[in-house]
Each structure stands twice: as structure tokens, then as C-alpha cells.
Amino acid sequence: MTEARSGGVVLGVETSCDETAAAVVDSSAASGAHICSSVVSSQVDVHAAFGGVVPELASRAHLELLDVVVRRALEEAGLGFRAPQAPAIDAVAATVGPGLVGSLLVGVSEAKALALAWEVPFVGVNHLEGHLFAALLDHDDVAWPLLVLLVSGGHTMLVCMQGPGLYRLIGQTLDDAAGEAFDKVARFLGLGYPGGPAIERAAAAGDPGAFALPRAMLGEGLDLSFSGLKTAVVHAVRRNPDASNADVAASFQQAVVDVLVAKALRGARESGAAGVCLAGGVAANRPLRESLGAACEQLGLPLYLPSRAMCTDNAAMIAAAGWWQLTHRGPSRLDAGAEPNLRLPLIA
Ligand code: KG4
Ligand code: ZN
């Protein structure tokens, strides 16, 4: 019952924050994983009035949405089924952490119940490891080791990935995550939530050179810091009350992009990486993708970009990481709980 079938078709479930997501990924092909369906139901409308994610509302919304989202993911993958018959799924994977505990519990409970009913293994996946697998979904030919710049709402990490499951942390933010900085600055400018896409939209009409904002720790090491930049934006706006949101957003975005690109390139050089990869919600940012693309091209370093949909939270990356985990580390126990503070498993 807990043995993996030979197939590789996994139902993935993701509910760690404010996206309710389910996906079916087929990892059986030699050419790499195939996304059969990926359904993401955003809770933006639920949280927008509060300017950020309200944990209690998030878990309630997951409860209401998850059944429908799972059913749609199965149907779109051509795996519609009628109980008590089970769909042709080889395993069910769900994010167990890190994330909001109430939200995680909804997905973990549903995934375990489905695995039990369908008599297939349950796999509890680390959300951060899921993000690292996202780029691999679109590229089955990556050169190892990869320097992965993982930039999300809660994390900013430079990871030297020697292969699936082999992660060395070579740099990280000392304070705010890059996504958190986008969200806080957007909130300060009254641009709404989620902040990243709002800043990107506003910045498109602005001058990135309008304000001289700091690039913290640009010349030193592989760690990063964003809290000073956020404060500098606040001071710049107070000193220039007539400044346009577009100019402030563009200047802020440029400062973040400059630092991220410089750190990624230094990380690649220092770790001897054969390629560079972006992951996490901030990786959806077009100016970041373009700047890193231009810099990597100049250095002749291959850049593996996940599609924008695979950068932000989704369940396809959880299903892909889940199949790898099942076949290399084995299934998870059905009494496994949510782990809100889970860390990326690292090698020395
Ligand atoms: O990976 P993700 O969807 O969730 C977490 O695991 O945190 O990342 C969400 C973060 C948020 O801070 C959001 O503002 C940011 O990613 N983000 C962006 C963009 N799209 C999402 N930041 C900059 N530009 C974007 N286009
Ligand atoms: Zn995420």
C-alpha cells in the first residue's frame, strides 16, 4: 500500500500560504516531468482589503476551495473519477512546510486522506525544495552544479544545487526577504497586495534612476540585506512628497534587481556553477529575468528560467519534487504533521 507504483503520476497539493493549488505531474517519461494540469486559485480577493495575508482567513479559504481545485486538476489531467473508484494516480504529495500552520494542515490532511482512500503513498514535501524543482520542470537538460537564486515572500537564498536533494546554502538575506521588501514598499506606496506584481506594473512607467537608493552589501560576500532599502524608500518619499509612485517603484525595483543579479553572478563564480537558475515568486519579475539573462549571456553561463507561473506558488512543483522524494527517500508517514518552520535540508 505504501509502495510506489512504477508509474510516476503524482497529484500535488499546495496550501502553505494564500494560493490553493493542485496539479497532476507525470514524471515517468525519460525526457523529464510533464505537467498534465496545474490549477491555482488565488485568495487575493480574500486578503486584499487587509493589505496582506490573514492566516485565519487563509486556512478557511483553503478549506472551502481545496476539494474543487483538486477535482479540477484531476479532470484537466483527464483523470476524472467516480468514487469509490480511484483515479490513475501513483502518489499524493503535499507541502508540509514551511508556511502558515493552519493553511498547511488543510492541504496535508486532504492529501493524506486521498492517499489512504486511493491506496497510494503520501509524500510530505518541503515547499522550498518544491521551488528548487520548479525550474527543472521546464528544463530536463540542466548542467550541474546549478546556482539557484531562490527569492520568495519569506526566503532569499543563494543555493548551490549539485543535483536534486543536494543543496548547499552559500548566501542568504540577513533581514527581510526580497519578496517581503516588494510587499512592504508596495504597501507603503498604497499600491496594494500582492506587492511584487503591483511594483512591477507601476515601475513600467517610471524612471529607475529617479532616486539614488542603496545597494546594500553589493561588494561584500554572498549575503544580502533589504531592510535598509525599504527605509531609504520611506525617507526618499518623505523628502520628495510630489514624487510619482512610478519613479519610486522603478528606482526601488532597480536597486533590488541590481543586488540580486550581482549576488547570483558572484555565487555562480564562487561555487563553480555550470549554470544559473531562478526560483520563487520574485523570479516572476520581468526586469530581474531580463537583467540576469543579459548578465549570464555576457558570461556564457546558461540560465534556466522557470515559466512565470512556475515561479509563484503552485502544486506542479510540489508534485515533481514529491515523485523525486518518493523514489529517493521513500514515502512519508500518515501521522506526519505540518511543519511551519521547516528548513531546506542542506549538505555541508
Ligand atoms: O514563492 P511565492 O509565491 O510565495 C512564497 O513562498 O513566499 O512568493 C511570493 C512573493 C511575494 O512577496 C510577491 O510580492 C513576490 O513573490 N512576487 C513578485 C512578483 N510576483 C510575485 N515580486 C516581484 N515581481 C513580481 N512580478
Ligand atoms: Zn513559495
Side-chain angles (χ1 to χ4, degrees), residues 19-305:
E19 314 280 11
T20 312
V24 175
V25 172
D26 182 355
S27 297
S28 64
S31 58
H34 169 67
I35 303 172
C36 307
S37 66
S38 179
V39 179
V40 179
S41 175
S42 168
Q43 301 178 5
V44 166
D45 296 348
V46 176
H47 305 286
F50 303 95
V53 179
V54 183
E56 178 60 27
L57 295 182
S59 41
R60 285 191 211 180
H62 286 308
L63 259 183
E64 277 171 25
L65 294 165
L66 188 55
D67 264 343
V68 179
V69 167
V70 165
R71 196 166 277 274
R72 190 173 326 148
L74 290 169
E75 278 166 8
E76 286 183 11
L79 296 174
F81 69 103
R82 209 173 270 280
Q85 185 201 349
I89 288 286
D90 300 303
V92 183
T95 302
V96 290
L100 302 169
V101 66
S103 294
L104 289 166
L105 277 172
V106 175
V108 170
S109 309
E110 169 114 356
K112 288 198 290 195
L114 292 176
L116 191 65
W118 296 340
E119 302 188 343
V120 295
F122 162 70
V123 197
V125 173
N126 183 314
H127 182 81
L128 300 172
E129 197 163 18
H131 274 303
L132 296 182
F133 269 77
L136 308 182
L137 274 167
D138 294 317
H139 305 277
D140 51 25
D141 55 348
V142 300
W144 307 105
L146 265 188
L147 182 284
V148 190
L149 173 61
L150 170 53
V151 271
S152 69
H155 296 83
T156 294
M157 298 171 153
L158 285 173
V159 176
C160 176
M161 185 171 177
Q162 287 165 6
L166 299 172
Y167 316 118
R168 217 155 42 81
L169 182 65
I170 59 171
Q172 61 186 323
T173 181
L174 301 178
D175 40 60
D176 292 353
E180 192 180 350
F182 270 96
D183 293 335
K184 286 179 175 168
V185 168
R187 195 172 176 162
F188 172 68
L189 295 178
L191 293 174
Y193 148 90
I199 294 266
E200 186 181 333
R201 273 194 304 275
D207 171 10
F211 295 95
L213 296 171
R215 273 82 169 144
M217 305 175 73
L218 190 65
E220 337 152 17
L222 295 173
D223 286 335
L224 307 96
S225 164
F226 292 107
S227 68
L229 173 58
K230 182 190 62 196
T231 311
V233 168
V234 173
H235 288 315
V237 171
R238 295 214 168 118
R239 272 197 309 270
N240 303 276
D242 296 332
S244 76
N245 268 355
D247 281 349
V248 179
S251 303
F252 162 76
Q253 180 175 257
Q254 190 62 51
V256 176
V257 168
D258 285 351
V259 171
L260 292 179
V261 170
K263 296 284 175 174
L265 294 185
R266 178 175 300 147
R269 199 170 57 238
E270 293 192 5
S271 62
V276 176
C277 171
L278 273 181
V282 181
N285 184 270
R286 276 214 176 85
L288 172 61
R289 295 163 76 90
E290 287 166 9
S291 291
L292 190 58
C296 285
E297 197 176 331
Q298 244 185 7
L299 295 174
L301 262 179
L303 172 66
Y304 306 100
L305 286 178

